[in-house]
Amino acid sequence: MSHTAIPLSTEISFADLNLAQPLMRAIADAGYTRPTPVQAQAIPLVLAGGDLLAGAQTGTGKTAGFTLPILHLLTAKPLASQRAGRPRCLILVPTRELAAQVEESVQTYGKYLSLKSMVMFGGVNINPQIKALRGQMDILVATPGRLLDHVGQKTLDLSGVEILVLDEADRMLDMGFIRDIRKIIALLPKQRQNLLFSATFSDEIKTLADGLLHNPGYVEVARRNTTAELIEQSVHLVPQKLKSYLLAHLIKHHDWKQVLVFTRTKHGANRLTEKLIADGIPAAAIHGNKSQPARTKALAQFKDGTLPVLVATDIAARGLDIDMLPHVVNFELPNIPEDYVHRIGRTGRAGSSGAAISLVDSEEFSYLKSIERLIKREIPKVTVDSFVPPANLPAEAPRPPRQPHGQKRHSHTTASAPRPAGSGNRNQPSRDGQGRKPGSQQPRNPQQRNGPQPAKPRPAAKPADQHLSEAARHQSMPQPALFSPKPVWRGK
Ligand code: AMP
């Protein structure tokens, strides 16, 4: 996947950052010509040894922004003797995928150094991790729950941590990890360097930062794609039961090679994946009910271009370094308008524009309106004249009710079973985080808390089926049509 679309600093070069030669070699090997803005700002602050509060999300180059200076600092100050299972740097992350990616970055940038790293997350056998902890380990990348399991089993000693990184801190709080994080912080030596990365700054994050950071340096980089200028956005107004057919048609007709499809629920992701595969389109679903090897395999195949379609839930896709894609499809619109911006922010590559396509059923009109209000523009409604829906549609399964717009998701169909005590999977509240722990279901910010109200029933300005192609309208539209001039409004 090309990453040339990443914005680079125009003022500062890597040579200005005074990183050790082995790191400069690794940077050159990675093909990076200049630091990104977050790297240009964060690296000098971390090298100076101070605490850091950074506002940056995935896709800004933030991982190298903390990994490079950490590797430099640890190499510059080698330990006289090192004990097994006692990391010098702890990087806490919200999800397994992000943990794997961050540790991969540590390895990539540290390949000419003798430092050792390890990744640990839940959902996999703990024994190989226990074995690995018996060796040298300088940098540990971990999700909070599994880390605490190791502490409980006394297989991990956190008394040697010199640098703590909280990566995607807002997601960790969203996923209900605050108590685990506080427990972990209490186990660390008082004297240490703290780096906190977060895409958003809610009151909760500010409270965490206030208690954790001492005189921090601040770095903030613009959120990606909030203007979405480079992204070609479009909406297809289409009944839910036709969506999978339209999507299959679009993929085949345009020969899309790499498309990330967002569904609202894990079951929805599975159903859609099965339908696409039945239609001859290789696809895989990625969500919390999938085993870790299955998720890793699907992600790797999607990234290397052998799997054209990845179907994901929002939380499963979060933090994944799968951006700069040519196509993102919203199979259903998200409940939270901001999630739309996050989703479509994954498109756009190397100067050319990306396309974000939303398949919208009449029940989703109020979501669409809220999104358009947020992005301050109307998304063009387009028709697909070449699409002919199948004549005999199977009966539609009843759909679970959706939440009023603006509320956090805690899916009706994806609630996870209560975790048995000591099951060793605390770090995955519902494995992809969709089922939140009690007390963690607060909306992220006051705006979301008050959330826009569902739209009032009113006749559509234009019958929605006018947006469908002639062929689609004349082919078996459901009776009574979902898209009648008087749509069936929900949320009254
Ligand atoms: P991150 O925001 O850390 O997830 O990084 C997003 C992507 O940007 C990763 O695939 C990195 O390999 C890539 N990247 C990081 N730094 C640079 C750079 N200075 N120049 C080009 N690409 C970079």
Side-chain angles (χ1 to χ4, degrees):
M1 215 180 312
S2 160
H3 286 289
T4 44
I6 197 163
L8 301 176
S9 167
T10 47
E11 288 121 47
I12 294 177
S13 70
F14 275 115
D16 296 327
L17 295 174
N18 297 320
L19 290 164
Q21 273 315 307
L23 292 170
M24 294 298 280
R25 273 174 67 202
I27 291 167
D29 287 358
Y32 303 166
T33 50
R34 300 188 77 82
T36 67
V38 70
Q39 291 162 5
Q41 295 172 61
I43 291 173
L45 289 168
V46 180
L47 287 178
D51 283 3
L52 176 74
L53 180 59
Q57 57 182 201
T58 301
T60 54
K62 67 178 168 67
T63 316
F66 61 80
T67 307
L68 287 167
I70 287 172
L71 287 165
H72 179 104
L73 289 174
L74 296 183
T75 316
K77 216 171 58 160
L79 288 185
S81 70
Q82 187 130 26
R83 272 193 275 147
R86 194 167 181 264
R88 300 177 64 192
C89 170
L90 172 62
I91 303 173
L92 286 178
V93 298
T95 64
R96 313 166 198 180
E97 278 83 7
L98 187 61
Q101 274 172 208
V102 169
E103 204 253 347
E104 209 181 298
S105 294
V106 172
Q107 297 212 12
T108 303
Y109 306 130
K111 66 184 189 182
Y112 298 117
L113 299 171
S114 55
L115 296 169
K116 294 272 183 294
S117 60
M118 177 180 165
V119 61
M120 69 170 53
F121 45 73
V124 292
N125 190 338
I126 200 167
N127 293 328
Q129 295 175 358
I130 293 175
K131 209 167 148 205
L133 281 166
R134 295 194 191 118
Q136 184 203 332
M137 185 233 320
D138 301 278
I139 299 176
L140 174 62
V141 186
T143 51
R146 180 53 67 91
L147 182 102
L148 282 172
D149 289 339
H150 280 283
V151 170
Q153 297 203 23
K154 301 210 176 347
T155 44
L156 176 66
D157 174 0
L158 295 176
S159 67
V161 172
E162 299 162 37
I163 306 171
L164 169 71
V165 182
L166 298 186
D167 192 16
E168 306 218 345
D170 50 346
R171 298 293 177 218
M172 285 202 272
L173 298 195
D174 267 3
M175 291 170 72
F177 285 139
I178 186 66
R179 287 181 59 199
D180 284 354
I181 290 171
R182 292 203 185 284
K183 271 190 217 159
I184 293 166
I185 290 173
L187 295 167
L188 304 178
K190 297 275 165 292
Q191 190 66 35
R192 57 167 202 272
Q193 187 175 7
N194 302 292
L195 318 177
L196 189 152
F197 285 76
S198 184
T200 55
F201 287 106
S202 61
D203 289 347
E204 228 182 339
I205 287 285
K206 285 185 196 129
T207 310
L208 177 68
D210 283 348
L212 180 72
L213 308 173
H214 307 284
N215 264 334
Y218 293 95
V219 165
E220 179 133 33
V221 294
R223 290 175 75 82
R224 265 182 324 159
N225 289 324
T226 32
T227 55
E229 245 91 61
L230 265 179
I231 301 169
E232 196 189 308
Q233 300 173 63
S234 61
V235 159
H236 295 295
L237 297 172
V238 56
Q240 186 73 23
K241 66 158 86 168
L242 288 183
K243 284 184 177 182
S244 61
Y245 299 98
L246 177 60
L247 178 60
H249 172 81
L250 289 169
I251 293 169
K252 285 182 177 169
H253 189 72
H254 298 288
D255 195 19
W256 287 348
K257 299 269 189 278
Q258 202 178 36
V259 48
L260 177 62
V261 182
F262 285 95
T263 58
R264 205 164 52 82
T265 66
K266 300 179 216 178
H267 297 306
N270 285 343
R271 268 198 308 271
L272 176 60
T273 305
E274 281 161 19
K275 281 187 181 169
L276 291 173
I277 291 170
D279 218 338
I281 300 170
I286 182 162
H287 56 66
N289 288 355
K290 293 275 169 188
S291 71
Q292 187 56 38
R295 290 162 72 161
T296 309
K297 186 173 161 211
L299 185 61
Q301 290 181 333
F302 184 64
K303 280 179 157 194
D304 72 20
T306 49
L307 181 75
V309 183
L310 191 65
V311 184
T313 55
D314 282 287
I315 304 241
R318 239 165 223 168
L320 296 185
D321 175 23
I322 42 172
D323 48 11
M324 300 178 203
L325 294 168
H327 299 100
V328 165
V329 170
N330 295 307
F331 192 75
E332 281 119 2
L333 287 179
N335 288 1
I336 303 169
E338 283 82 357
D339 281 353
Y340 175 83
V341 179
H342 286 150
R343 287 180 179 187
I344 72 165
R346 294 179 179 278
T347 66
R349 53 153 75 180
S352 71
S353 60
I357 298 105
S358 300
L359 309 186
V360 180
D361 174 285
S362 63
E363 289 190 9
E364 298 172 287
F365 284 174
S366 61
Y367 297 82
L368 181 60
K369 287 282 160 257
S370 298
I371 288 165
E372 290 181 331
R373 262 199 302 277
L374 177 76
I375 62 172
K376 298 191 175 67
R377 63 158 82 175
E378 201 179 321
I379 307 172
K381 318 292 178 290
V382 297
T383 63
V384 184
D385 287 332
S386 54
F387 174 57
V388 179
N392 299 315
L393 286 171
E396 201 176 10
R399 268 184 288 166
R402 292 188 67 150
Q403 291 168 319
H405 207 174
Q407 281 191 11
K408 280 207 101 137
R409 66 181 80 67
H410 36 104
S411 165
H412 304 271
T413 57
T414 57
S416 57
R419 191 178 58 85
S423 69
N425 210 11
R426 264 169 312 187
N427 58 329
Q428 309 295 340
S430 74
R431 310 202 65 185
D432 76 350
Q434 290 213 17
R436 282 149 213 280
K437 288 182 181 177
S440 66
Q441 299 192 357
Q442 288 297 318
R444 267 183 296 229
N445 59 40
Q447 192 193 344
Q448 283 172 17
R449 212 167 290 143
N450 300 330
Q453 296 303 307
K456 290 226 163 63
R458 61 186 157 79
K462 180 179 179 190
D465 66 351
Q466 283 184 15
H467 295 287
L468 284 172
S469 67
E470 277 302 312
R473 261 178 281 143
H474 294 145
Q475 287 270 328
S476 62
M477 279 300 285
Q479 294 296 329
L482 264 175
F483 287 145
S484 63
K486 266 195 163 176
V488 188
W489 291 100
R490 280 219 181 183
K492 255 181 91 167

